[in-house]
């Protein structure tokens, strides 16, 4: 994980944000292009890291893995004209890569598609919606019969070097800045020097600024001058 984070970071950045979709919202009987075409304005995964900003706007680099989607799922209607650039792709890997490049133009993106799903057999908790099939795919409407336990699910996970991390890191910096270190004598008695603490605090602020975009960076410089 550490080496992957290093690969995704450059220009002074050091940390990444985690995203996931459990399960990945794939409709039963629909192709992967059909599913992704429904998410042209927003991605079908949620932020796991404790950032206040939940909506994805852009990212600098990312690594995305999709599990539980078979290789044939890119074929929706054989013999018909592709209805979108995603439908024209020749493999699930190309579909996911094209989707990422479309949503995040200019970002460095790596993607992998694995056929093996994530198993959800006992003791995995059965907290899934009744709309899920045993293989974890979504139904158009609730079944008329009692559905069996979900045995596996498709999952998408992503690590991103993203501007959302600016909010997280800068909030941490502001919270630490408010601490009255004179009240934490035991902390410094462990060997931490006041100067080292202040240096680490400034490094955290500098790191948060590495994730700013455009006007945000200008506002941060103005705020730095006021400090």
């Amino acid at each position: 994980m550490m080496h992957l984070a290093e690969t995704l970071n450059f220009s002074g950045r050091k940390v990444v944000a985690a995203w996931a979709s459990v399960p990945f919202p794939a409709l039963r009987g629909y192709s992967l292009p059909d599913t992704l075409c429904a998410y042209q304005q927003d991605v079908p995964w949620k932020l796991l890291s404790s950032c206040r900003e939940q909506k994805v706007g852009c990212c600098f680099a990312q690594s995305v893995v999709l599990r539980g989607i078979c290789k044939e799922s890119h074929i929706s209607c054989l013999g018909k004209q592709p209805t979108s650039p995603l439908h024209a792709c020749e493999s699930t890997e190309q579909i996911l890569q094209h989707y990422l490049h479309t949503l995040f133009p200019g970002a460095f993106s790596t993607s992998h598609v694995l056929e093996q799903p994530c198993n959800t057999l006992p003791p995995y908790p059965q907290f899934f919606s009744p709309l899920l099939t045993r293989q974890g795919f979504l139904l158009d409407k609730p079944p008329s019969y009692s559905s069996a336990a979900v045995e596996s699910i498709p999952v998408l996970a992503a690590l991103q070097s993203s501007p959302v991390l600016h909010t997280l890191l800068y909030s941490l910096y502001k919270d630490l800045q408010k601490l009255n270190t004179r009240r934490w004598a035991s902390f410094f008695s462990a060997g931490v020097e006041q100067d080292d603490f202040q240096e680490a605090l400034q490094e955290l602020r500098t790191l948060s600024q590495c994730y700013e975009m455009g006007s945000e960076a200008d506002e941060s410089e103005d705020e730095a001058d006021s400090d």
Side-chain angles (χ1 to χ4, degrees):
M1 187 72 71
M2 179 181 67
H3 294 307
L4 180 57
E6 290 177 352
T7 302
L8 296 175
N9 281 302
F10 43 86
S11 301
R13 305 180 188 107
K14 298 180 180 179
V15 296
V16 292
W19 306 73
S21 181
V22 183
F24 179 71
L27 286 167
R28 184 182 66 172
Y30 283 65
S31 68
L32 181 58
D34 293 334
T35 301
L36 293 178
C37 280
Y39 293 93
Q40 293 292 330
Q41 303 301 320
D42 198 6
V43 292
W45 58 81
K46 301 295 182 182
L47 182 62
L48 301 182
S49 300
S50 56
C51 305
R52 294 176 184 173
E53 298 178 27
Q54 298 291 316
K55 189 174 180 61
V56 179
C58 63
C59 75
F60 308 112
Q62 62 185 338
S63 176
V64 180
V65 177
L66 177 60
R67 295 186 55 174
I69 301 296
C70 65
K71 300 296 184 180
E72 291 76 19
S73 66
H74 67 280
I75 304 174
S76 56
C77 296
L78 289 174
K80 290 190 176 181
Q81 191 72 17
T83 57
S84 74
L86 291 176
H87 288 84
C89 295
E90 297 181 355
S91 67
T92 50
E93 288 83 0
Q94 290 182 8
I95 293 168
L96 183 57
Q97 191 71 16
H98 188 283
Y99 176 75
L100 295 174
H101 282 310
T102 301
L103 256 65
F104 305 98
F108 170 74
S109 300
T110 65
S111 60
H112 303 278
V113 179
L114 307 175
E115 290 193 43
Q116 183 180 5
C118 289
N119 293 326
T120 56
L121 296 172
Y124 199 97
Q126 289 294 317
F127 47 61
F128 301 108
S129 165
L131 287 174
L132 285 187
T133 67
R134 293 172 60 183
Q135 290 73 39
F137 293 99
L138 287 169
L139 298 170
D140 292 324
K141 57 183 179 180
S144 57
Y145 55 89
S146 178
S147 57
V150 178
E151 298 178 354
S152 64
I153 55 172
V155 172
L156 186 144
L159 293 179
Q160 282 189 349
S161 176
S162 168
V164 300
L165 288 162
H166 165 66
T167 303
L168 172 65
L169 296 171
Y170 191 72
S171 297
L172 178 59
Y173 159 76
K174 297 296 287 185
D175 289 341
L176 291 173
Q177 192 183 40
K178 295 175 184 177
L179 289 178
N180 184 359
T181 55
R182 295 178 181 177
R183 299 177 57 186
W184 301 88
S186 60
F187 178 70
F188 292 101
S189 65
V192 178
E193 298 291 340
Q194 177 67 31
D195 291 342
D196 294 338
F197 177 78
Q198 292 299 325
E199 182 180 351
L201 199 58
Q202 291 306 314
E203 289 178 353
L204 179 60
R205 177 176 183 163
T206 301
L207 179 61
S208 72
Q209 293 171 342
C210 292
Y211 292 89
E212 292 177 311
M213 295 289 292
S215 59
E216 292 181 350
D218 296 336
E219 293 175 2
S220 178
E221 290 179 2
D222 294 340
E223 186 174 323
D225 293 337
S226 64
D227 290 347

